[in-house]
Amino acid sequence: MRFNEIQLLHLAEKALHDNCKRGYLFKRTSDNNKWQLRWFVLYQNLLFYYENEQSTRPSGAIFLEGCYCERLITPSSGKSTASTQVRP
């Protein structure tokens, strides 16, 4: 599926005003594998991310078609913690 920038910005605008799931998540950067806190908005099968909650233009979008979530259990000093990864 192809989107042009105008269509993507329209969907992002709609996502900001719609009753969608939203909140802060950590996103790994592509250049140096550092983790950055970003504001995410889930709209249908698109996951938009922004610099912060007040941003109106998304920094990017992740197309979730064909992806699934997998819960990972990571042992740490006697406590059981869990994390979730989205895999394409």
Side-chain angles (χ1 to χ4, degrees):
M1 180 179 296
R2 291 180 176 232
F3 290 105
N4 66 32
E5 187 176 354
I6 293 171
Q7 291 169 321
L8 211 52
L9 288 174
H10 175 72
L11 288 172
E13 180 70 24
K14 194 169 181 178
L16 285 176
H17 297 355
D18 220 20
N19 190 14
C20 301
K21 298 287 186 193
R22 59 189 74 224
Y24 281 99
L25 296 170
F26 284 98
K27 179 191 174 299
R28 190 183 314 190
T29 61
S30 59
D31 55 345
N32 57 9
N33 286 335
K34 289 186 179 180
W35 291 91
Q36 295 178 330
L37 189 62
R38 294 287 181 250
W39 178 253
F40 281 80
V41 177
L42 177 64
Y43 181 70
Q44 296 175 1
N45 61 350
L46 289 167
L47 187 61
F48 295 100
Y49 57 95
Y50 302 81
E51 287 288 324
N52 56 47
E53 195 172 346
Q54 287 75 36
S55 300
T56 56
R57 186 179 178 98
S59 299
I62 301 168
F63 188 55
L64 297 176
E65 191 71 29
C67 294
Y68 64 93
C69 290
E70 181 178 283
R71 188 176 178 118
L72 301 175
I73 305 298
T74 54
S76 64
S77 65
K79 293 182 179 179
S80 64
T81 60
S83 62
T84 304
Q85 287 186 342
V86 175
R87 299 197 182 246

